[in-house]
Amino acid sequence: SNPTARNRNLSVGENHITEKGATKAKSEICIHTINNNATGTHLKPQSITTMAGLLGTTSSSATSLLTHRSISSSFSSLSKALSFNPGQSQSRRLYGGIRVPVTKGRSRFSVSNVATEITPAQEQAQKLSKENQRPVYPFAAIVGQDEMKLCLLLNVIDPKIGGVMIMGDRGTGKSTTVRSLVDLLPEITVVAADPFNSDPEDPESMGMEVREKLMKGEKLSTIKTKINMVDLPLGATEDRVCGTIDIEKALTEGVKAFEPGLLAKANRGILYVDEVNLLDDHLVDVLLDSAASGWNTVEREGISISHPARFILIGSGNPEEGELRPQLLDRFGMHAQVGTVRDAELRVKIVEERARFDKNPKEFRETYNADQGKLQEQISSARSRLSSVQIDHELRVKISKVCAELNVDGLRGDIVTNRAAKALAALKGRDQVTSEDIAVVIPNCLRHRLRKDPLESIDSGLLVIEKFYEVFS
C-alpha cells in the first residue's frame, strides 16, 4: 500500500511455514532489500509495521532484523575480496554477518611475496615531513666529548667499521650528539621506489625484486637521497622491527604482500637504539642475526622473504642501569666512554648554548651553518679518499700482536682497528696510516672486547694503551 516501496522486493521464505513449526519459520525468514540506486536501503516505519504484521512479529523485532541486514551489507566489498571459484558442491554459511560461499574447489586467493613499493605520493609526503620535522641540535655546536664525536664520524666515513657503543653518565649529551649526526650524513644513490634502499651497483645490497629486474636486463631508475637514520624504540614489537604481512593489501587485492619493517628502512643507513642495555632479549636476538649476516629473513603468515639489512648500529646507555649482553657488545665496532664535564667554564658554555637553542632553534642553527658545511665537505672527501688509503704490513702485524697479547677473542678487533685507522687517516687528508692514527683508535676498538676481571680496578682502555706502547715501542 506504500507507493515509495514499489521498487523494493519483499520475499518471505519459500515453503518454510509448516503446521508443526510456526516459530521455526520466523527464524528462517530471509529479508532482501533491493534498490536501483544503492544497497542497504532503509524502510520507513510504516513499511516495517506492515512487514511485522505479515511475519507475525512485533515491530521492534522486525526493526532489529533489518538493522542486522543493513550492517551485514556494509561488508560487501570484503566478501568480494574473499570470493572463491564455484566447485561441484557448495553450501552457504554465515561468518560474522558475511555470506561466504564455501566450495571444495581451489581458492583464487593468490599468493605473492611482493614488498610494498613506495609511491611518488608517499615520497612527496616524506619530503614534506622532513622539512617540517623538529629542529636538530647542530653537531658542530657540541662542546667537548671528542672521543664520542670521532667514533661517530669514523663510522660515517666507513660503515663497515660496525657501529659504535656509547656508554656514560646520564645527561652527558649522548642522544643529542647521535641525533645531530643527521645533518652531516652524505647522499647515496638508491633505486627509486624501493623500500630497501637498494644499491644499483652492489648486488649484496639489493632487494630480490631489484636483482630480478637487473637479471632481466631492465633499466633501474635511481635517485639521490641522504643516509637514513632510524630510531628503534624500546617498546617496539618484533613484527614492526622485522616486517610482517600487509593486511591492507591482503583484504583489498587478495595478495600476501610483505610490509617492510625498521630493519628494511635502516638498510645502508643508521639504526640507533637509545638505552640499548634495556632492550628486550627477543629484539636483541633479531639485531644479532641481522648484524651478523647483513640480511633479514622473515618466515611468518605464509611469507618467506629475505632482504638486505646492512646498517651502522649505534647504541647508547648508562652502565648503572644494567650491562649489555656480551654477544651484542661484540657486534659494535667501537666503544666510546662519555664522562661528565668537570671544567666550570665549559659547563657554563654548554648551558648558555642550550638556552640559545631552546629560545630560537632556527637562528641558532644558522650560526653554525658554516661549520656544518665544512664538516660535510670533510666527510665527503674522506669517503672518496678511503679506498686509496694504505697501511703497512709491519703496522698490521703490530696491531694483531696487541690483540693477541690482550687475549682478545676472535679477529673482529684486528679487522675493526685496521678499518678505523684507515678512516682516521682519510679524515685527516692522508693516504698512509701512521702509528699515531692507530694509537688514537685502538682503545675504542678493543676496550669492550677484553675479558672483564671483577677484581681489576684499572680501566680497560688504559690496559689497551699500555699494551700498545709496549708493542709499538
Side-chain angles (χ1 to χ4, degrees), residues 9 35 47 91 97 118 160 165 216 218 279-280 316 329 367 383 404 413 432 448:
N9 180 20
N35 191 282
S47 303
S91 60
I118 302 174
K160 292 183 179 179
M165 179 66 199
K216 293 178 182 178
E218 299 182 17
L279 196 65
D280 290 339
S316 63
L329 188 61
T367 59
R383 285 171 64 94
Q432 194 71 27
H448 57 297

Side-chain angles (χ1 to χ4, degrees), residues 8 73 91 112 132 134 147 192 203 218 242 326 351 362 455 463:
R8 300 188 182 96
S73 65
S91 60
S112 60
N132 298 326
R134 60 183 180 181
E147 180 181 333
E218 299 182 17
C242 298
V351 173
K362 186 176 181 182
L455 301 179
L463 288 175

Side-chain angles (χ1 to χ4, degrees), residues 55-77:
L55 301 176
T57 61
T58 62
S59 59
S60 60
S61 60
T63 304
S64 62
L65 189 57
L66 286 174
T67 305
H68 175 74
R69 175 58 185 165
S70 62
I71 292 174
S72 302
S73 65
S74 64
F75 294 97
S76 58
S77 59

Side-chain angles (χ1 to χ4, degrees), residues 154-163 202 204-205 310-312 331-334 383 386 412 415-417 419-420 423 449:
L154 294 182
N155 274 273
V156 173
I157 294 171
D158 186 5
K160 292 183 179 179
I161 289 176
D202 184 12
E204 288 297 320
S205 299
R310 300 178 182 273
F311 47 81
I312 304 171
R331 296 293 177 184
F332 289 97
M334 305 182 75
R383 285 171 64 94
L386 181 63
R412 284 199 182 101
I415 297 171
V416 170
T417 305
R419 286 176 175 168
R449 304 181 193 277

Side-chain angles (χ1 to χ4, degrees), residues 376-443:
Q376 286 179 330
E377 292 177 3
Q378 197 174 0
I379 290 172
S380 298
S381 60
R383 285 171 64 94
S384 59
R385 190 185 295 112
L386 181 63
S387 58
S388 62
V389 177
Q390 300 295 326
I391 180 170
D392 293 337
H393 178 72
E394 182 183 354
L395 294 179
R396 292 178 186 270
V397 173
K398 288 184 177 181
I399 290 173
S400 296
K401 188 176 181 181
V402 172
C403 296
E405 294 190 6
L406 287 173
N407 295 321
V408 175
D409 293 333
L411 296 174
R412 284 199 182 101
D414 307 57
I415 297 171
V416 170
T417 305
N418 281 272
R419 286 176 175 168
K422 286 184 177 181
L424 181 59
L427 183 63
K428 292 182 177 180
R430 289 187 277 103
D431 294 333
Q432 194 71 27
V433 175
T434 63
S435 57
E436 288 78 9
D437 297 330
I438 300 173
V440 172
V441 301
I442 197 168

Side-chain angles (χ1 to χ4, degrees), residues 290-309:
S290 299
S293 62
W295 284 78
N296 177 38
T297 302
V298 181
E299 298 281 353
R300 60 184 62 198
E301 284 94 16
I303 283 182
S304 176
I305 190 170
S306 297
H307 66 80

Side-chain angles (χ1 to χ4, degrees), residues 128-381:
L128 291 175
S129 64
K130 288 181 181 179
E131 293 176 358
N132 298 326
Q133 66 185 358
R134 60 183 180 181
V136 180
Y137 198 85
F139 189 85
I142 303 292
V143 179
Q145 313 298 7
D146 296 329
E147 180 181 333
M148 172 174 57
K149 292 192 291 186
L150 178 63
C151 291
L152 291 173
L153 291 177
L154 294 182
N155 274 273
V156 173
I157 294 171
D158 186 5
K160 292 183 179 179
I161 289 176
V164 56
M165 179 66 199
I166 305 170
M167 298 294 283
D169 303 330
R170 61 182 72 88
T172 50
K174 300 184 295 293
S175 302
T176 302
T177 306
V178 173
R179 293 192 171 97
S180 67
L181 198 65
V182 173
D183 293 334
L184 303 180
L185 298 178
E187 289 187 341
I188 56 175
T189 304
V190 300
V191 178
D194 181 67
F196 307 122
N197 299 323
S198 297
D199 189 350
E201 298 178 356
D202 184 12
E204 288 297 320
S205 299
M206 288 183 183
M208 298 303 294
E209 290 81 10
V210 175
R211 189 177 296 184
E212 289 175 1
K213 289 180 181 179
L214 194 63
M215 293 177 63
K216 293 178 182 178
E218 299 182 17
K219 187 177 180 181
L220 301 176
S221 58
T222 60
I223 57 173
K224 285 275 189 179
T225 182
K226 265 196 168 188
I227 291 180
N228 197 18
M229 178 179 282
V230 179
D231 274 298
L232 177 59
L234 295 179
T237 61
E238 189 174 343
D239 287 350
R240 186 68 190 97
V241 175
C242 298
T244 184
I245 188 171
D246 192 337
I247 301 298
E248 183 180 356
K249 277 200 170 186
L251 293 178
T252 57
E253 302 178 16
V255 296
K256 288 184 181 178
F258 176 70
E259 183 178 1
L262 295 180
L263 292 180
K265 190 178 179 183
N267 184 40
R268 301 181 66 200
I270 296 175
L271 183 65
Y272 175 51
V273 188
D274 194 9
E275 306 293 346
V276 65
N277 48 342
L278 303 180
L279 196 65
D280 290 339
D281 287 342
H282 67 281
L283 294 182
V284 171
D285 295 336
V286 170
L287 290 181
L288 284 173
D289 187 30
S290 299
S293 62
W295 284 78
N296 177 38
T297 302
V298 181
E299 298 281 353
R300 60 184 62 198
E301 284 94 16
I303 283 182
S304 176
I305 190 170
S306 297
H307 66 80
R310 300 178 182 273
F311 47 81
I312 304 171
L313 184 60
I314 298 179
S316 63
N318 185 357
E320 295 179 358
E321 297 173 355
E323 293 294 331
L324 196 63
R325 284 170 59 177
Q327 310 95 297
L328 183 59
L329 188 61
D330 189 58
R331 296 293 177 184
F332 289 97
M334 305 182 75
H335 185 283
Q337 282 189 348
V338 182
T340 305
V341 178
R342 302 301 178 186
D343 187 3
E345 292 293 333
L346 277 180
R347 293 170 76 104
V348 170
K349 184 179 180 181
I350 293 171
V351 173
E352 290 177 349
E353 293 286 273
R354 185 68 206 189
R356 283 180 53 205
F357 177 77
D358 293 338
K359 184 177 180 180
N360 193 336
K362 186 176 181 182
E363 182 180 339
F364 181 81
R365 285 171 56 85
E366 289 175 354
T367 59
Y368 284 93
N369 281 344
D371 296 334
Q372 293 279 97
K374 289 179 182 178
L375 271 175
Q376 286 179 330
E377 292 177 3
Q378 197 174 0
I379 290 172
S380 298
S381 60

